[in-house]
Amino acid sequence: MQTEVRYYQEPQLNKPVMVCGLPGIGSVAWLAVNHLQKELKAELFAEVFSPMFSPKVWLTDDGLVKLMKGEFYSWKRNGRGTDLLLFSANEQPYSPEGQYELADAVLALAQKFAVQRVITMGGMATDRLTDQPKVYVGGTEIELVKELEEHGAVKLAGGAITGTNGLIFGLAKPRRIPAICLLAETPGYLSLDANAAKAALQLSSRLLNLSLDYEALDQQAKENADAVEKAKDLSRGPFSHEARKGERDLSYVS
Amino acid sequence: MQTEVRYYQEPQLNKPVMVCGLPGIGSVAWLAVNHLQKELKAELFAEVFSPMFSPKVWLTDDGLVKLMKGEFYSWKRNGRGTDLLLFSANEQPYSPEGQYELADAVLALAQKFAVQRVITMGGMATDRLTDQPKVYVGGTEIELVKELEEHGAVKLAGGAITGTNGLIFGLAKPRRIPAICLLAETPGYLSLDANAAKAALQLSSRLLNLSLDYEALDQQAKENADAVEKAKDLSRGPFSHEARKGERDLSYVS
Amino acid sequence: MQTEVRYYQEPQLNKPVMVCGLPGIGSVAWLAVNHLQKELKAELFAEVFSPMFSPKVWLTDDGLVKLMKGEFYSWKRNGRGTDLLLFSANEQPYSPEGQYELADAVLALAQKFAVQRVITMGGMATDRLTDQPKVYVGGTEIELVKELEEHGAVKLAGGAITGTNGLIFGLAKPRRIPAICLLAETPGYLSLDANAAKAALQLSSRLLNLSLDYEALDQQAKENADAVEKAKDLSRGPFSHEARKGERDLSYVS
Amino acid sequence: MQTEVRYYQEPQLNKPVMVCGLPGIGSVAWLAVNHLQKELKAELFAEVFSPMFSPKVWLTDDGLVKLMKGEFYSWKRNGRGTDLLLFSANEQPYSPEGQYELADAVLALAQKFAVQRVITMGGMATDRLTDQPKVYVGGTEIELVKELEEHGAVKLAGGAITGTNGLIFGLAKPRRIPAICLLAETPGYLSLDANAAKAALQLSSRLLNLSLDYEALDQQAKENADAVEKAKDLSRGPFSHEARKGERDLSYVS
């Protein structure tokens, strides 16, 4: 079995920009692309299946089967400015080769649609919880890094980015597709850091000239903050059912 | 070496339904398909060999060599109603990619024979031993789930199915083959749960309009129950040879 | 990089029989094929290189590099009776897929030379050291097993054979090449069981109508016996340098 | 995704010799080829990308992304004598198959440029720190080994070389490219053994008729020696910040 992209439609897109985010630390990238897709009502037009995903299937509440897969969405801006391609997946491939394989398949699709730029995202683990997470930026070209710095990002000077989000970014270079990677600060202990996702999206939306509603992410961020507060209170008192419930509210969703 | 299907015959089948079951928890699916093949006297028409199976061979009591492999059987209903294709194997591939590879090869054969529906099976581990195991159902379409609910199955609302039985079910969807998965309740400690296999088969036979004899499975289930009873008695008394013999009677067969 | 067979000559062979032996328990099969090659002065005509072998190279005493590889030798009987093809390698591939891959490449070569029969060998671990090891036989057909029983082999009734020696045997069946596997009794603690190798070869030579000199194997077997005897003596006395030297004499050679 | 070589130029080279060095023990080979490339101002003309490298990207101090990759450099001698091809990479592939794959890709490029000889390098771990490391040599032909012995190398009589540096050397043989491997003595605890790299380069430069400046390597070697000296002093006194700083100076760079 080969990695295979199945098309349900062939959207006609104007100078599209591609935004990619797979699950990872704090689910930052996944939350951001998911939010973008819902807010813009972007349409699913293709899916990628691969033996590189883990060997299992999921069931919906209706008893319907879902494969592990990646999804491609398109959004048309009504002719003004660039259109969008979105990519996400419900997990990262478990093997190193699988991560290269998926990143390569995503970029092959990007080239097919003559994508002008690729934006990948991720979380950068720090040990502080802040209302205003910094967003770091790296790029395939210095001009891109500078452009994002003007929008408020901090240059990623050194370091490594692991996993598929990093590989989509890096493999864009030999394909000569301009690409940036935005990493938002996130404390390691949050599994769904909506605040970090919002910070990464705000920067992206300035670049993409989008005006987004962040209510859903704000709501999620508030729930996180409340849960953290509750956990702090409880760590002072006796260990209780409520404390454990608080932790469960933060459980990983992908 | 590639995964390869070898045909010994090319059966002409009328709107076939495919029933698949590989070894897994409680050997439920494997027992069910094995019983079906024997009761219907279905004929072997193809085998699948793959480097994804474990690197060993078996010997029969006659000293004849047997490879690890999957087997395809066909059964003709004498022109009335749908014919059957059965698939089983003596093990699941040991690697994740191998499980995708085998599932994909099985579905390619299903498409070649214009299979109308795929039924996969499995065990769902619970901590109770019951005479009347519930059978859960998931599907590629809501109509299929409802149809099985009418036959007495319980909707699988959420959760994951791991391994090849789940992948055959899930990968049927992008190939547009309607598929269901039936999971029969089984206590984790039985290696050959004939009772669970019977429950899954009874549901399938209603769907397939088959009338089956279950004597062999009933006999196996009775032996299981006796062995469990013996083990309980012995866990009250001193540890003895007979107790250990009881356990051995439940040893895994695949 | 693909598994690749390199030909140095293209021998013209009369109804050849192929004898295969890779390193394994007691090095039985490897010792046997190695002895056969030296006694018959069989000629190297092809080598198989593969990324499935371990990632290292060896150096000879002259400083020359040797890859991990498999070697094919041919021997012509001067027109009377069947010619021989020999196959051995300095290790078994380390991964399961690699073992299938190599076995498949060996059998593809066997088919290219219209091999009439394949003989594979191996050791069967027992806990006794005997001067007269039994040799067990399994086959792709009952006639073959019976023929070997007449020559003194014991039928392998049940059980599994793991690794590449077993896979060459098993994968011969779907290719419709008659094949047997001879397993000679060997105690688990000998790394070079020359006695077991001799027993397997004696059976093979009756089948192949060969008359072999076993002096080199007898010499090796005598050294083994002496070393075991020495080790027994020393296990009664204080732990000494000589005892350790005795163990070293049995070190693995491949 | 396949292993892929991307050409930025197609240099015209006169009877080139290829010098290869990937990171390994003491970083000997990597340091040597890196030094050669800088001293000769050799030009990057191709890169090799592969899913066999680890799934991550690096960022420069300017925020620019760098993939894990291999790099090919060319150097022209102005028409007198042989030109040079250099190969290095920022890591060895993590899997055995990946190491074969990369070695094979390097040799395929060597053949495309009709390389006359391949020189690979590495470290040979010993337990002594010496100012004058011995350099051992193995070859694909006895004449090569003898030629290097005349230049002061010691024949590698027996033993194994693991990893990609060894595989490039070994796989040159079935491709009929004359090759040597130079292993310089290095104590196991140095991560950047500039002294060993210099010793290997000095031998190579005699073979290649090159006159090199070693100042950068001498400077690195002096820092190593100072750090080792400091560590010795500190192991006598109390554990201090300075001692730890000394250790950090030796940290692995690749």
Side-chain angles (χ1 to χ4, degrees):
Chain A
M1 184 183 169
Q2 305 293 318
T3 295
E4 182 192 356
V5 177
R6 291 228 164 200
Y7 286 91
Y8 305 121
Q9 305 168 37
E10 287 264 355
Q12 300 302 315
L13 300 173
N14 182 40
K15 298 181 177 174
V17 170
M18 185 182 234
V19 186
C20 301
L22 290 103
I25 185 165
S27 297
V28 175
W30 181 86
L31 278 171
V33 174
N34 200 254
H35 185 79
L36 205 52
Q37 183 262 317
K38 283 187 179 145
E39 287 300 318
L40 299 177
K41 297 184 176 57
E43 282 179 68
L44 181 76
F45 72 92
E47 292 183 317
V48 54
F49 303 102
S50 174
M52 300 300 176
F53 286 121
S54 58
K56 67 181 172 194
V57 294
W58 292 98
L59 290 149
T60 67
D61 289 346
D62 290 329
L64 294 180
V65 69
K66 291 192 306 174
L67 281 167
M68 306 309 287
K69 65 185 172 184
E71 297 178 327
F72 295 94
Y73 293 86
S74 64
W75 178 71
K76 293 189 64 71
R77 206 187 279 257
N78 298 324
R80 291 162 306 170
T82 60
D83 293 335
L84 286 188
L85 274 176
L86 307 181
F87 174 71
S88 193
N90 42 11
E91 69 170 2
Q92 295 206 16
Y94 65 91
S95 76
E97 293 96 328
Q99 296 184 5
Y100 272 97
E101 176 90 0
L102 182 59
D104 193 56
V106 168
L107 291 166
L109 184 141
Q111 251 174 349
K112 178 180 150 85
F113 284 92
V115 155
Q116 306 291 303
R117 276 186 188 182
V118 168
I119 300 174
T120 63
M121 289 184 268
M124 174 179 278
T126 62
D127 49 7
R128 64 185 193 124
L129 182 60
T130 168
D131 284 350
Q132 305 289 336
K134 284 185 210 164
V135 179
Y136 292 85
V137 64
T140 50
E141 290 147 58
I142 277 186
E143 293 67 34
L144 283 170
V145 177
K146 285 188 178 150
E147 185 179 346
L148 267 292
E149 285 184 297
E150 281 160 24
H151 284 299
V154 182
K155 185 173 68 182
L156 259 173
I161 306 169
T162 55
T164 315
N165 290 315
L167 289 179
I168 296 175
F169 172 36
L171 289 167
K173 198 175 174 184
R175 284 187 184 262
R176 299 173 199 280
I177 308 176
I180 58 169
C181 183
L182 298 172
L183 299 183
E185 271 190 311
T186 181
Y189 53 82
L190 282 183
S191 39
L192 284 175
D193 190 347
N195 221 20
K198 182 181 174 183
L201 266 186
Q202 284 178 317
L203 251 183
S204 305
S205 61
R206 269 174 241 148
L207 197 69
L208 296 169
N209 198 21
L210 290 174
S211 145
L212 292 173
D213 182 305
Y214 294 103
E215 199 182 324
L217 287 176
D218 287 338
Q219 182 58 29
Q220 174 73 47
K222 193 179 169 310
E223 283 171 24
N224 283 352
D226 290 353
V228 168
E229 211 50 49
K230 231 181 260 180
K232 278 186 195 162
D233 287 354
L234 288 155
S235 70
R236 287 179 217 121
F239 189 69
S240 77
H241 176 69
E242 205 175 7
R244 290 164 79 187
K245 186 170 170 296
E247 285 174 72
R248 246 204 317 270
D249 287 340
L250 301 179
S251 68
Y252 189 82
V253 172
S254 68
Chain B
M1 182 183 171
Q2 304 293 317
T3 295
E4 182 193 356
V5 178
R6 292 226 164 201
Y7 286 91
Y8 305 119
Q9 303 169 37
E10 287 264 355
Q12 300 301 316
L13 300 173
N14 182 39
K15 297 182 178 175
V17 171
M18 186 182 233
V19 186
C20 301
L22 291 102
I25 185 164
S27 297
V28 175
W30 181 86
L31 278 171
V33 174
N34 200 253
H35 186 79
L36 205 51
Q37 183 263 315
K38 284 186 178 145
E39 287 300 318
L40 299 178
K41 297 185 178 58
E43 282 179 68
L44 181 76
F45 71 93
E47 292 182 318
V48 54
F49 303 101
S50 174
M52 301 300 176
F53 287 122
S54 58
K56 66 181 173 194
V57 294
W58 292 97
L59 290 148
T60 66
D61 289 345
D62 291 329
L64 294 180
V65 69
K66 291 193 305 175
L67 281 167
M68 306 310 286
K69 64 185 173 185
E71 297 179 326
F72 295 94
Y73 293 85
S74 64
W75 178 71
K76 294 189 64 71
R77 208 186 276 256
N78 298 324
R80 292 161 305 169
T82 58
D83 293 335
L84 286 188
L85 273 177
L86 308 181
F87 174 71
S88 193
N90 41 12
E91 69 171 3
Q92 295 206 17
Y94 65 91
S95 75
E97 293 96 327
Q99 296 183 7
Y100 272 98
E101 175 91 359
L102 182 59
D104 193 57
V106 169
L107 291 166
L109 184 141
Q111 250 174 348
K112 176 180 152 85
F113 284 92
V115 155
Q116 306 291 302
R117 276 185 188 184
V118 168
I119 301 174
T120 64
M121 289 184 268
M124 173 179 278
T126 62
D127 49 7
R128 63 185 194 124
L129 182 60
T130 168
D131 283 350
Q132 305 289 336
K134 284 185 209 163
V135 179
Y136 293 86
V137 64
T140 50
E141 290 146 57
I142 276 184
E143 294 66 34
L144 283 169
V145 176
K146 284 186 178 150
E147 185 179 347
L148 268 293
E149 284 185 297
E150 281 160 24
H151 285 298
V154 182
K155 184 174 69 181
L156 257 174
I161 305 169
T162 55
T164 315
N165 289 315
L167 289 179
I168 295 175
F169 172 36
L171 288 167
K173 197 174 175 185
R175 285 186 183 262
R176 300 173 199 279
I177 308 175
I180 58 167
C181 184
L182 297 172
L183 300 183
E185 271 190 310
T186 181
Y189 53 82
L190 283 183
S191 39
L192 284 176
D193 191 346
N195 223 18
K198 182 181 175 182
L201 266 187
Q202 284 177 319
L203 252 182
S204 305
S205 61
R206 270 173 241 146
L207 197 69
L208 296 170
N209 199 22
L210 290 174
S211 145
L212 293 173
D213 182 306
Y214 294 103
E215 199 182 325
L217 286 176
D218 287 339
Q219 182 59 29
Q220 173 75 44
K222 193 179 169 313
E223 285 171 23
N224 283 352
D226 291 352
V228 168
E229 211 50 50
K230 231 180 261 180
K232 277 186 195 160
D233 288 353
L234 287 156
S235 70
R236 288 179 215 119
F239 188 70
S240 77
H241 176 70
E242 205 175 6
R244 290 163 81 185
K245 186 170 170 297
E247 285 174 72
R248 246 204 317 270
D249 287 341
L250 301 178
S251 68
Y252 189 82
V253 173
S254 69
Chain C
M1 183 184 170
Q2 305 293 316
T3 295
E4 182 193 355
V5 177
R6 292 225 164 202
Y7 287 89
Y8 305 121
Q9 304 168 38
E10 287 265 353
Q12 300 301 315
L13 301 172
N14 182 40
K15 298 182 177 174
V17 171
M18 186 183 233
V19 186
C20 301
L22 291 101
I25 186 164
S27 297
V28 174
W30 180 87
L31 278 171
V33 174
N34 200 253
H35 185 80
L36 206 51
Q37 182 262 316
K38 283 187 178 145
E39 288 300 318
L40 299 178
K41 296 185 178 59
E43 281 179 68
L44 181 76
F45 72 93
E47 292 183 317
V48 54
F49 302 102
S50 174
M52 301 299 176
F53 286 122
S54 58
K56 67 181 173 196
V57 293
W58 291 98
L59 289 148
T60 66
D61 289 346
D62 290 329
L64 294 180
V65 70
K66 291 193 304 174
L67 280 167
M68 307 309 286
K69 64 186 172 184
E71 298 178 326
F72 295 95
Y73 293 84
S74 65
W75 178 71
K76 293 188 65 70
R77 207 187 278 255
N78 298 326
R80 293 161 305 169
T82 59
D83 293 334
L84 287 187
L85 272 176
L86 308 181
F87 174 71
S88 192
N90 42 12
E91 70 171 2
Q92 294 206 17
Y94 65 92
S95 76
E97 293 97 326
Q99 296 183 7
Y100 272 98
E101 176 90 1
L102 182 60
D104 192 57
V106 169
L107 291 166
L109 185 141
Q111 251 173 348
K112 177 180 151 85
F113 284 92
V115 155
Q116 306 290 303
R117 275 184 188 184
V118 168
I119 301 174
T120 64
M121 289 183 267
M124 173 178 278
T126 62
D127 50 7
R128 64 184 192 124
L129 182 60
T130 168
D131 283 349
Q132 305 288 336
K134 284 185 210 163
V135 179
Y136 293 86
V137 65
T140 51
E141 290 146 58
I142 276 184
E143 293 67 32
L144 284 169
V145 177
K146 284 185 178 152
E147 185 180 346
L148 268 293
E149 285 184 297
E150 281 160 24
H151 285 298
V154 182
K155 185 173 67 180
L156 258 174
I161 305 170
T162 54
T164 314
N165 290 315
L167 290 178
I168 295 175
F169 172 36
L171 289 167
K173 197 175 175 184
R175 285 186 183 261
R176 300 173 199 280
I177 308 176
I180 58 168
C181 184
L182 298 172
L183 299 184
E185 270 191 309
T186 180
Y189 53 82
L190 282 183
S191 40
L192 284 176
D193 191 346
N195 222 18
K198 182 181 174 182
L201 267 187
Q202 284 177 319
L203 252 182
S204 305
S205 61
R206 270 173 241 147
L207 197 69
L208 296 170
N209 198 21
L210 289 174
S211 147
L212 292 173
D213 181 306
Y214 294 103
E215 199 183 323
L217 286 176
D218 286 340
Q219 181 59 29
Q220 173 74 46
K222 192 179 170 311
E223 283 171 24
N224 284 352
D226 290 352
V228 168
E229 211 50 48
K230 230 180 262 180
K232 277 185 194 161
D233 287 354
L234 288 155
S235 70
R236 288 178 215 120
F239 188 69
S240 76
H241 176 70
E242 205 177 4
R244 291 164 80 187
K245 186 172 170 295
E247 284 175 71
R248 247 205 315 271
D249 287 340
L250 300 178
S251 68
Y252 188 83
V253 173
S254 70
Chain D
M1 183 184 170
Q2 305 293 317
T3 295
E4 183 193 356
V5 177
R6 292 227 163 200
Y7 286 90
Y8 305 120
Q9 305 167 37
E10 287 264 354
Q12 300 302 315
L13 299 173
N14 182 41
K15 298 182 176 174
V17 171
M18 186 182 233
V19 186
C20 300
L22 291 103
I25 186 165
S27 296
V28 174
W30 180 87
L31 278 172
V33 173
N34 199 254
H35 185 79
L36 205 51
Q37 182 262 317
K38 282 187 178 145
E39 287 300 317
L40 299 178
K41 297 185 176 59
E43 281 179 68
L44 181 76
F45 72 92
E47 292 183 317
V48 54
F49 302 102
S50 173
M52 301 300 177
F53 286 121
S54 59
K56 66 180 173 195
V57 294
W58 292 97
L59 289 149
T60 67
D61 289 345
D62 291 329
L64 295 180
V65 69
K66 291 193 305 175
L67 282 167
M68 306 309 286
K69 64 184 172 186
E71 297 179 325
F72 296 94
Y73 293 85
S74 65
W75 177 71
K76 293 189 65 69
R77 206 188 278 255
N78 297 326
R80 291 161 308 170
T82 60
D83 292 335
L84 287 188
L85 274 176
L86 308 181
F87 174 70
S88 192
N90 40 12
E91 69 171 2
Q92 295 205 18
Y94 65 92
S95 75
E97 292 97 329
Q99 296 183 7
Y100 272 97
E101 176 91 1
L102 182 59
D104 192 56
V106 168
L107 291 166
L109 184 141
Q111 251 174 348
K112 177 180 150 88
F113 284 92
V115 155
Q116 305 291 303
R117 276 185 188 183
V118 168
I119 301 173
T120 63
M121 290 184 268
M124 173 178 278
T126 63
D127 49 7
R128 64 184 193 126
L129 182 60
T130 168
D131 283 348
Q132 304 289 337
K134 283 186 209 163
V135 179
Y136 292 86
V137 64
T140 51
E141 290 147 59
I142 276 186
E143 293 67 33
L144 283 170
V145 177
K146 284 186 178 151
E147 185 180 346
L148 267 294
E149 284 185 297
E150 281 160 25
H151 285 299
V154 181
K155 185 173 68 181
L156 259 174
I161 305 171
T162 55
T164 316
N165 290 316
L167 290 179
I168 295 175
F169 172 37
L171 288 167
K173 198 175 173 183
R175 285 186 184 262
R176 299 173 201 279
I177 309 175
I180 59 168
C181 184
L182 297 172
L183 299 183
E185 270 190 311
T186 180
Y189 53 82
L190 282 184
S191 40
L192 284 176
D193 191 347
N195 223 19
K198 182 180 174 183
L201 265 187
Q202 284 178 318
L203 253 182
S204 304
S205 60
R206 270 174 241 148
L207 197 69
L208 297 169
N209 198 22
L210 289 175
S211 147
L212 292 174
D213 182 306
Y214 294 103
E215 198 183 323
L217 287 177
D218 286 338
Q219 181 58 28
Q220 174 74 46
K222 193 180 169 309
E223 283 171 25
N224 283 352
D226 290 351
V228 168
E229 210 50 47
K230 232 181 260 179
K232 278 185 194 162
D233 287 353
L234 287 154
S235 70
R236 288 179 216 121
F239 189 69
S240 75
H241 176 70
E242 206 176 6
R244 290 164 81 186
K245 187 171 170 297
E247 284 175 72
R248 245 203 318 270
D249 286 341
L250 300 180
S251 69
Y252 189 82
V253 172
S254 70

